[in-house]
Amino acid sequence: MTDRNEDSALMRTYARLPVAFERGEGVWLYDAEGRRYLDGIGGIGVCGLGHAHPAVAEALCEQARTLLHTSNLYRIPLQARLAERLTALTGMDAAFFCNSGAEANEAAIKLARLHGRRRGVAVPTVVVTEGSFHGRTLATLSATGNRRVQAGFEPLVHGFVRVPYGDLEAVRTVARNSPDVVAVLVEPVQGEGGVVVPPPDYLAGLRTLCDEHGWLLMLDEVQTGTGRCGAFLACQAAGVTPDVVTLAKGLANGVPIGACLARGEAAALFAPGTHASTFGGNPLACRAALAVLDVLEAEGLPARAAHLGEWVRARLREALAEVPGVREVRGLGLMIGIELDRPCGALVGEALDRGLLVNVTAERVVRLLPPLVIAESEAATLADGVATLIREFLAAAA
Ligand SMILES: *Cc1c(COP(=O)(O)O)cnc(C)c1O
């Protein structure tokens, strides 16, 4: 066990579990006593290739010995190469690189405002949804549909109008009543909001509305992207191409990076001096992301996430079918949520005691975001372990 006092010089932003990991390998993490844990949360959807992946480690070591950082005062060939790979994978035209999901969304929101200014809109307004999560900077927490993320940080950034998630009619109503709307920003599947999958026609319906009104369709794929949901982007499975899409979590397997990709007019809105990041797209981060893309492609990991995710959900549904208190097993690809009828945060510590790393979000939803490289036998261990835990948790509480 770690001494909690060791953390006393840290600001108290996190309610951390009493464990620290020393090393990892694939889907396994090891603490100082050598105890191993099956990682069902993958650093919150970051470590898609698992821990200490040799291809990423090799690329990072070589790049660290060669060149880490030069700044965007100069051309960065690795950044240009990563932009080419990502635009080819997503159907976008250009990329801006930063260091996190929130920053990628900040770039998207700034693009929406430039798009609005160009159209002569006085107060460019972005449609956002209830239950959404877009980050912790002032603009992205203002876009976020969770009062607890916003409380204490008022005044919020203006220029957002909120609608229920998954509800196209509500967006149509906004279209009729709010002439200042210039864009829609949504997650294809809500992550922090509780692994909420919208109706099947939702993204396509938003695409149509955006086309009708000259709005930008901006998808926050920070959690759903990079192969997690069964295609490189979750929206590709729905056959929808956005105007702006943001990536971060899984893009470099743990090296901080964010990307804002855009297409058409939106790809040409930034001009020199209008947006920037000192670290953004530096050679180290781009090299790591390129290594991730190589492995994703070579091993067909997005397709694997699609079928393995279905398989895990089927196994969980079967194991939990007759269990009162289990509301729903849902998700897309290897983004999996099990909604209970009561708060279940305590389940996370019980899982830890049994060597399983899971997460609870939106109070009642057990969330799994395992590495995309998880073997079938490991996925079975994870599903069975989680099902047992949930059964015992609900039985003890009854
Ligand atoms: C995690 C997340 C963010 C914020 O990413 P950070 O890297 O923590 O800033 C934004 N949007 C979504 C959908 C996320 O899941």
Side-chain angles (χ1 to χ4, degrees), residues 94-137:
F96 171 80
F97 291 104
C98 48
N99 316 286
S100 68
E103 280 179 77
N105 288 332
E106 284 277 344
I109 293 163
K110 285 178 76 171
L111 285 179
R113 290 197 167 184
L114 290 178
H115 174 68
R117 286 283 180 290
R118 177 171 286 195
R119 300 176 61 206
V121 174
V123 188
T125 299
V126 178
V127 177
V128 291
T129 63
E130 289 167 9
S132 64
F133 183 79
H134 298 297
R136 299 283 192 162
T137 62

Side-chain angles (χ1 to χ4, degrees), residues 115 119 127 168 171-172 175 181-186 202-219 240-244 263:
H115 174 68
R119 300 176 61 206
V127 177
L168 284 173
V171 184
R172 284 191 198 104
V181 171
V182 296
V184 175
L185 172 65
V186 297
Y202 187 53
L203 293 183
L206 289 177
R207 179 68 274 174
T208 303
L209 279 169
C210 286
D211 289 339
E212 284 171 7
H213 297 281
W215 302 343
L216 298 178
L217 177 60
M218 312 202 298
L219 296 182
V240 170
T241 307
D243 302 295
V244 178
R263 170 174 81 94

Side-chain angles (χ1 to χ4, degrees), residues 100-103 105 133-135 187 192 220 222-223 248-249:
S100 68
E103 280 179 77
N105 288 332
F133 183 79
H134 298 297
E187 297 153 88
E192 305 308 303
D220 178 348
V222 166
Q223 189 163 153
K249 288 192 166 83

